[in-house]
């Protein structure tokens, strides 16, 4: 293989083929060949005419940036105004009450949500240990973990056998996986992309979240010497019906008397890529919650030192512009009006897809929020190939096919449902 004497073992293992981009290229080729093709491939929100959807209020705020805010480094941990905003973006209205109850936050700016995930992977498990993910998850998780010498176990996205104690949370399998990890590791970390999961659009629901939190805290209480980190990846949450569902669950549990052991940490990885449509400005943060200030102070230091050693400081311009924008009531309202318009595009597309699939008995997975819908398939490539024959371009991933509602238009859905019905038969 080219470069084998130059690359290290980890480098040799890195393969270039990106499934999403290769299926997007096939859509573009079909379009160029004059086909009436529809694009359900890419993971960015497009307007119905196929152009990138842009939150105009954020765009205007970024264009008004003073020169120095574009050119200067940000402080290593991030701009203080942005760190303050990131706590509110992560915890919404529950933030204030958590602070009143004596909880503390550590926030560190990062290049997008990806940077926040890297910070967690780099610091919260030992090399050789395993993280715990759901079996359907965003592909790049593996890379962030691999690059930090971390493996992973999975538990099922949905309860197997259709048992419905918590319809969108496989509680028994989660607890078994936790027990298994507690037998062999002194640190546990769960990554959970919720609400508005990529690649399915699932949101766990209040019961599922409460059950998940309770199992995790119970495990932390029963295993005092084992660190327990629950990381919520909130990349799409600001397009969900309940954007701060996890914060509400956490606060509700605390107010109902849930104990919080010292070995338990909650982190939220926030990303402004989608919520503020600034994918390329690489802005996000890791926000950690713990009752003890010594712990959050230490985490702040560790995370900003990790950033320094990895990418130096995160980009400054969007940290500045977005926190300025949200600092006034009008700015925040104007942003949310644009966000609501973009959310409506997704809601209309999802409603149409669900109703078209229902008419044709297409077994779509439960899907509630965010950019994607999903269909489980034993042979995802065969399903995607069959859809492509009907000029519908989707993405075959492990265990199923991802339907990019973010890239399709509402009027494409009868065609998408027909292609899926044909492929699944
Ligand atoms: C599930 C999930 N988490 C995190 C991210 C991070 O995005 P970014 O690094 O662009 O902020 C993405 C982006 O696609 C994602 O899909």
């Amino acid at each position: 293989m080219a470069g084998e004497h130059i690359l290290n073992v980890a480098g040799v293992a890195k393969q270039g083929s990106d499934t999403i981009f290769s299926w997007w290229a096939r859509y573009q080729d079909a379009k160029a060949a004059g086909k009436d093709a529809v694009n359900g491939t890419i993971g960015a929100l497009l307007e119905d005419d196929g152009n990138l959807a842009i939150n105009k209020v954020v765009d205007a705020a970024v264009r008004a940036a003073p020169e120095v805010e574009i050119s200067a480094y940000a402080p290593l941990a991030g701009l203080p105004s942005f760190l303050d905003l990131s706590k509110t973006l992560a915890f919404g209205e529950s933030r204030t009450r958590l602070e009143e109850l004596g909880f503390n936050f550590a926030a560190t700016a990062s290049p997008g949500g990806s940077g926040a995930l890297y910070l967690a992977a780099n610091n919260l498990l030992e090399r050789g240990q395993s993280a715990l993910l759901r079996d359907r998850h965003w592909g790049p998780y593996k890379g962030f973990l691999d690059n930090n010498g971390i493996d992973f176990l999975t538990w099922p996205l949905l309860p197997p056998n259709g048992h419905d104690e918590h319809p969108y949370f496989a509680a028994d399998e989660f607890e078994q996986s936790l027990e298994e990890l507690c037998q062999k590791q002194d640190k546990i970390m769960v990554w959970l992309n919720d609400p508005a999961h990529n690649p399915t659009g699932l949101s766990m629901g209040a019961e599922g979240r409460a059950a998940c939190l309770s199992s995790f805290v119970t495990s932390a209480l029963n295993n005092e010497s084992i660190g327990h980190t629950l990381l919520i990846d909130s990349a799409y949450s600001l397009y969900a019906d309940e954007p701060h569902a996890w914060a509400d669950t956490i606060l509700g549990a605390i107010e109902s008397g849930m104990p919080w052991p010292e070995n338990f940490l909650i982190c939220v990885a926030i990303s402004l890529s989608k919520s503020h449509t600034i994918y390329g400005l690489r802005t996000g943060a890791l926000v950690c919650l713990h009752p003890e200030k010594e712990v959050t102070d230490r985490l702040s230091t560790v995370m900003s030192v990790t950033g320094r050693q990895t990418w130096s400081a995160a980009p400054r311009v969007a940290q500045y512009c977005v926190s300025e924008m949200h600092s006034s009531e009008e700015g925040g309202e104007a942003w949310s009006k644009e966000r609501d318009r973009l959310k409506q595009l997704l809601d209309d597309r999802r409603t149409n897809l669900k109703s078209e699939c229902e008419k044709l008995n297409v077994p779509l997975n439960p899907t509630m929020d965010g950019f994607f819908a999903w269909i489980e398939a034993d042979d995802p490539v065969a399903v995607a190939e069959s859809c492509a024959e009907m000029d519908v371009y989707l993405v075959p991933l492990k265990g199923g096919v991802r339907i990019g509602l973010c890239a399709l238009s509402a009027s494409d859905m009868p065609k998408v449902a027909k292609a899926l019905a044909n492929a699944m038969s």
Side-chain angles (χ1 to χ4, degrees):
M1 193 196 288
E4 68 181 324
H5 296 119
I6 301 166
L7 290 164
N8 64 14
V9 172
V12 168
K14 288 175 185 158
Q15 298 296 330
S17 79
D18 187 301
T19 313
I20 297 169
F21 284 97
S22 69
W23 281 82
W24 185 34
R26 285 185 58 178
Y27 158 75
Q28 287 174 313
D29 291 346
K31 234 6 208 183
K35 299 264 178 69
D36 184 21
V38 301
N39 176 20
T41 60
I42 67 165
L45 179 54
L46 306 185
E47 301 281 0
D48 282 343
D49 65 7
N51 286 314
L52 187 67
I54 291 170
N55 186 315
K56 301 292 182 208
V57 177
V58 179
D59 185 71
V62 171
R63 277 168 208 284
E67 284 174 352
V68 69
E69 302 296 341
I70 298 172
S71 294
Y73 285 123
L76 292 175
L79 281 178
S81 57
F82 177 68
L83 298 181
D84 184 60
L85 173 68
S86 65
K87 296 170 196 171
T88 303
L89 293 178
F91 286 90
E93 289 178 0
S94 300
R95 172 192 172 173
T96 315
R97 183 74 188 124
L98 286 165
E99 283 171 338
E100 282 167 8
L101 291 169
F103 280 81
N104 292 285
F105 297 98
T108 310
S110 58
S114 301
L117 292 163
Y118 183 91
L119 291 176
N122 193 246
N123 289 295
L124 300 169
L125 285 182
E126 303 296 346
R127 288 181 169 265
Q129 295 185 336
S130 296
L132 181 57
L133 314 176
R134 291 184 292 185
D135 57 358
R136 306 289 172 253
H137 55 260
W138 189 42
Y141 282 178
K142 177 172 169 17
F144 303 140
L145 296 168
D146 266 355
N147 282 337
N148 286 287
I150 293 168
D151 205 344
F152 63 90
L153 295 186
T154 63
W155 90 98
L157 179 79
L158 295 173
N161 315 320
H163 77 74
D164 63 357
E165 195 189 342
H166 308 294
Y168 308 123
F169 172 57
D172 296 346
E173 294 72 13
F174 179 65
E175 286 181 5
Q176 280 156 19
S177 305
L178 283 182
E179 274 170 31
E180 190 184 323
L181 286 171
C182 285
Q183 298 301 319
K184 54 183 188 190
Q185 298 187 181
D186 70 346
K187 292 176 191 67
I188 309 284
M189 180 164 65
V190 174
W191 283 7
L192 201 55
N193 175 207
D194 186 80
H197 174 239
N198 175 8
T200 69
L202 184 80
S203 294
M204 281 171 65
E207 282 176 27
R209 290 191 306 271
C212 177
L213 181 63
S214 155
S215 299
F216 201 63
V217 172
T218 303
S219 175
L221 287 164
N222 291 341
N223 298 279
E224 276 177 357
S225 58
I226 300 181
H228 279 64
T229 301
L230 175 62
L231 180 143
I232 308 299
D233 174 357
S234 70
Y236 302 87
S237 66
L238 296 183
Y239 292 110
D241 281 346
E242 293 180 86
H244 297 108
W246 270 96
D248 301 343
T249 295
I250 293 161
L251 178 59
I254 293 169
E255 293 200 310
S256 324
M258 179 186 85
W260 189 299
E262 194 271 340
N263 59 328
F264 173 49
L265 179 70
I266 286 190
C267 299
V268 181
I270 66 161
S271 162
L272 270 57
S273 301
K274 286 97 187 164
S275 60
H276 291 70
T277 68
I278 47 172
Y279 307 82
L281 288 179
R282 311 306 306 133
T283 304
L286 184 70
V287 184
C288 307
L289 175 73
H290 195 276
E292 289 173 33
K293 188 163 180 321
E294 295 76 23
V295 173
T296 50
D297 283 352
R298 178 75 189 125
L299 286 166
S300 291
T301 305
V302 168
M303 298 304 168
S304 66
V305 168
T306 306
R308 175 71 177 120
Q309 294 168 343
T310 313
W311 49 72
S312 179
R316 178 180 184 110
V317 65
Q319 292 186 49
Y320 172 79
C321 297
V322 171
S323 40
E324 277 292 294
M325 182 189 83
H326 281 287
S327 71
S328 77
E329 206 167 298
E330 308 98 73
E333 272 170 18
W335 166 81
S336 58
K337 216 164 145 204
E338 276 286 279
R339 188 274 318 268
D340 291 349
R341 183 184 78 77
L342 301 180
K343 178 179 182 321
Q344 194 62 49
L345 287 178
L346 292 164
D347 289 350
D348 291 347
R349 293 171 190 179
R350 178 171 277 100
T351 306
N352 281 15
L353 179 70
K354 281 163 79 168
S355 84
E356 294 300 324
C357 284
E358 225 168 275
K359 282 185 215 160
L360 301 176
N361 291 322
V362 175
L364 210 58
N365 253 50
T367 184
M368 298 82 171
D369 292 303
F371 278 28
F372 305 106
W374 175 263
I375 191 159
E376 288 281 315
D378 293 335
D379 188 348
V381 173
V383 172
E385 287 291 355
S386 164
C387 290
E389 275 170 31
M390 294 176 71
D391 296 324
V392 169
Y393 289 85
L394 306 173
V395 185
L397 295 172
K398 187 168 170 283
V401 175
R402 189 180 85 171
I403 304 155
L405 299 174
C406 52
L408 291 159
S409 79
S411 61
D412 292 335
M413 298 314 170
K415 189 167 169 144
V416 175
K418 231 189 223 161
L420 284 172
N422 181 56
M424 298 305 285
S425 68

